[in-house]
Amino acid sequence: MKKHLISEEGRFYKANLHTHTNISDGNFSPEHVKDHYKNMGYSVVAYTDHDVFIPHNDLTDENFLALNGFEMEFADFYDCYANKKPWDFVKQCHICFIALDDKMDIQPFWHRTKYFIGNAQSKKLVKFDENEPDFERWYTPNCINYVMRTAREKNFFVTYNHPVWSLENYYDYTAYDGMNAFEMMNGDVTHGYQDYNPSVYDDILRNGNKIYCIGADDSHEIKDTGVAFTMIKAENLTYKAITDSMLKGNFYASQGPEIYELYIEDDKLFIKTSPAYKIYVTYQACKAQVKYSEDGSPLTEACFELSKIHGYFRVTVIDSEGKHACTNAYFPEDIGL
């Protein structure tokens, strides 16, 4: 029996799930960002400006979907001020929150006077619960995990972002618990970083967290765009259809290569892709499989033997330019293997 890991129904929509505008520290207006991404063939952009949750439903049309969100930062200010460490050496944790319902408009974790990057006038546009006290941020696993879990309870899709730029290490990110997804690929070339972190994904997975992986530009200006993206398979381009697919993990992350099909049949994994240099499978165990073209021509499909004794598996596609596409991790007990 054939079991599709990425749904057979629907179509793929190209998405950037981490975007900044001049509402915080980006260079362009939300409208300009929409036009630019549409011209590049994107259908979905999540507006995740720093520290302000401002819906952009007015930008949605029949060919474009604006997802509403924001990004929070947690920084080790003690290291900065008490230890006199330069800011560029201070560890941080950045998290994006994407609303799963387009009617959501109340920002959680609000502070009336602190924690804001960029255009301060935008604060006036934020709606928050005035009965709630100001939320203080602490760079601790307890605080960060509380925020992740609470945000999910409040119906947000939570992503953990760019650990390399953030200077976080194994002991930091394996202490986090509550994210929906990890930013496998971050394309913020403005700061010289293009975070691609498959080993971090495996660390988090092997630590017991079943999470997805996404690709995102983290765009602030034009040169940040089109570097990394997420291909979401959904029935249609509506807010509910796209966010339902995000919750189900019906997507893959990419820097360029495309994945057309991914399914299991008779304990074998089949994948069909755009032209690739190689395709390989990574497991939870110390095991991997790889396929190269036998005659030197590009690969467009591959088949791998699977065994549940090796734990989860995930697939990576690499094209001739060295760009990657990565599937989510799949666990045998969740897919009936």
Side-chain angles (χ1 to χ4, degrees), residues 198-211 281-287 306-315 327-335 337:
S199 61
V200 175
Y201 188 36
D202 285 318
D203 285 340
I204 294 172
L205 293 169
R206 289 169 179 153
N207 200 50
N209 288 294
K210 292 183 179 181
I211 62 170
V281 179
T282 301
Y283 294 88
Q284 184 173 357
C286 183
K287 178 179 173 60
L306 291 178
S307 173
K308 63 182 180 182
I309 67 170
H310 294 120
Y312 73 74
F313 63 89
R314 58 181 186 82
V315 187
T327 73
N328 290 311
Y330 299 95
F331 289 78
E333 63 270 24
D334 296 334
I335 60 174
L337 185 63

Side-chain angles (χ1 to χ4, degrees), residues 104 110 114 144 161 251 272 277 279-280:
M104 295 167 61
W110 184 250
K114 295 182 182 178
I144 291 166
N161 305 332
F251 57 81
K272 296 182 180 180
Y277 166 66
I279 302 171
Y280 64 90

Side-chain angles (χ1 to χ4, degrees), residues 23-44:
I23 286 176
S24 60
D25 63 343
N27 285 2
F28 299 103
S29 68
E31 294 80 6
H32 185 108
V33 168
K34 169 187 174 175
D35 291 342
H36 180 71
Y37 273 98
K38 281 187 72 173
N39 289 337
M40 291 196 300
Y42 284 69
S43 301
V44 181

Side-chain angles (χ1 to χ4, degrees), residues 103-151:
K103 296 179 178 59
M104 295 167 61
D105 62 357
I106 301 298
Q107 176 155 340
F109 319 117
W110 184 250
H111 197 292
R112 292 166 177 80
T113 60
K114 295 182 182 178
Y115 315 119
F116 190 72
I117 296 174
N119 185 358
Q121 297 302 314
S122 302
K123 268 198 163 185
K124 299 176 181 178
L125 303 176
V126 174
K127 294 181 181 180
F128 62 95
D129 187 344
E130 296 188 10
N131 295 316
E132 289 288 326
D134 288 340
F135 183 82
E136 295 285 353
R137 303 179 193 180
W138 304 99
Y139 182 68
T140 65
N142 285 343
C143 183
I144 291 166
N145 290 341
Y146 169 80
V147 167
M148 287 182 173
R149 292 172 186 154
T150 303

Side-chain angles (χ1 to χ4, degrees), residues 39-266:
N39 289 337
M40 291 196 300
Y42 284 69
S43 301
V44 181
V45 169
Y47 287 85
T48 55
D49 275 302
H50 292 281
D51 308 305
V52 287
F53 178 47
I54 300 174
H56 295 286
N57 296 325
D58 57 304
L59 298 180
T60 294
D61 60 39
E62 61 181 6
N63 297 310
F64 181 83
L65 177 67
L67 296 177
N68 303 318
F70 67 103
E71 184 176 21
M72 284 182 74
E73 313 81 36
F74 298 79
D76 191 352
F77 291 110
Y78 180 86
D79 218 14
C80 183
Y81 297 115
N83 294 333
K84 307 299 182 183
K85 182 176 286 189
W87 178 250
D88 288 344
F89 288 86
V90 172
K91 287 202 284 190
Q92 302 182 47
C93 175
H94 285 216
I95 309 169
C96 279
F97 307 92
I98 300 173
L100 294 171
D101 186 332
D102 62 351
K103 296 179 178 59
M104 295 167 61
D105 62 357
I106 301 298
Q107 176 155 340
F109 319 117
W110 184 250
H111 197 292
R112 292 166 177 80
T113 60
K114 295 182 182 178
Y115 315 119
F116 190 72
I117 296 174
N119 185 358
Q121 297 302 314
S122 302
K123 268 198 163 185
K124 299 176 181 178
L125 303 176
V126 174
K127 294 181 181 180
F128 62 95
D129 187 344
E130 296 188 10
N131 295 316
E132 289 288 326
D134 288 340
F135 183 82
E136 295 285 353
R137 303 179 193 180
W138 304 99
Y139 182 68
T140 65
N142 285 343
C143 183
I144 291 166
N145 290 341
Y146 169 80
V147 167
M148 287 182 173
R149 292 172 186 154
T150 303
R152 290 182 67 170
E153 291 170 3
K154 291 179 179 292
N155 213 23
F156 286 90
F157 187 88
V158 179
T159 67
Y160 168 56
N161 305 332
H162 52 62
V164 171
W165 182 89
S166 300
L167 301 179
E168 294 203 298
N169 60 39
Y170 177 90
Y171 300 101
D172 300 315
Y173 55 71
T174 56
Y176 301 149
D177 180 20
M179 66 190 82
N180 291 93
F182 160 66
E183 202 172 65
M184 174 81 90
M185 305 163 180
N186 178 289
D188 186 2
V189 296
T190 297
H191 299 100
Y193 278 91
Q194 292 187 59
D195 275 38
Y196 173 57
N197 297 295
S199 61
V200 175
Y201 188 36
D202 285 318
D203 285 340
I204 294 172
L205 293 169
R206 289 169 179 153
N207 200 50
N209 288 294
K210 292 183 179 181
I211 62 170
Y212 306 132
C213 68
I214 67 166
D217 277 338
D218 190 5
S219 52
H220 294 73
E221 50 188 287
I222 295 300
K223 64 183 178 180
D224 299 333
T225 60
V227 181
F229 53 89
T230 303
M231 295 296 288
I232 303 172
K233 192 81 173 285
E235 293 182 3
N236 52 59
L237 189 62
T238 60
Y239 207 104
K240 180 172 175 26
I242 292 296
T243 55
D244 281 354
S245 287
M246 290 166 58
L247 282 174
K248 294 173 183 175
N250 203 25
F251 57 81
Y252 66 89
S254 184
Q255 299 166 326
E258 297 178 86
I259 297 174
Y260 304 133
E261 287 188 73
L262 184 69
Y263 62 91
I264 294 174
E265 190 171 26
D266 298 328

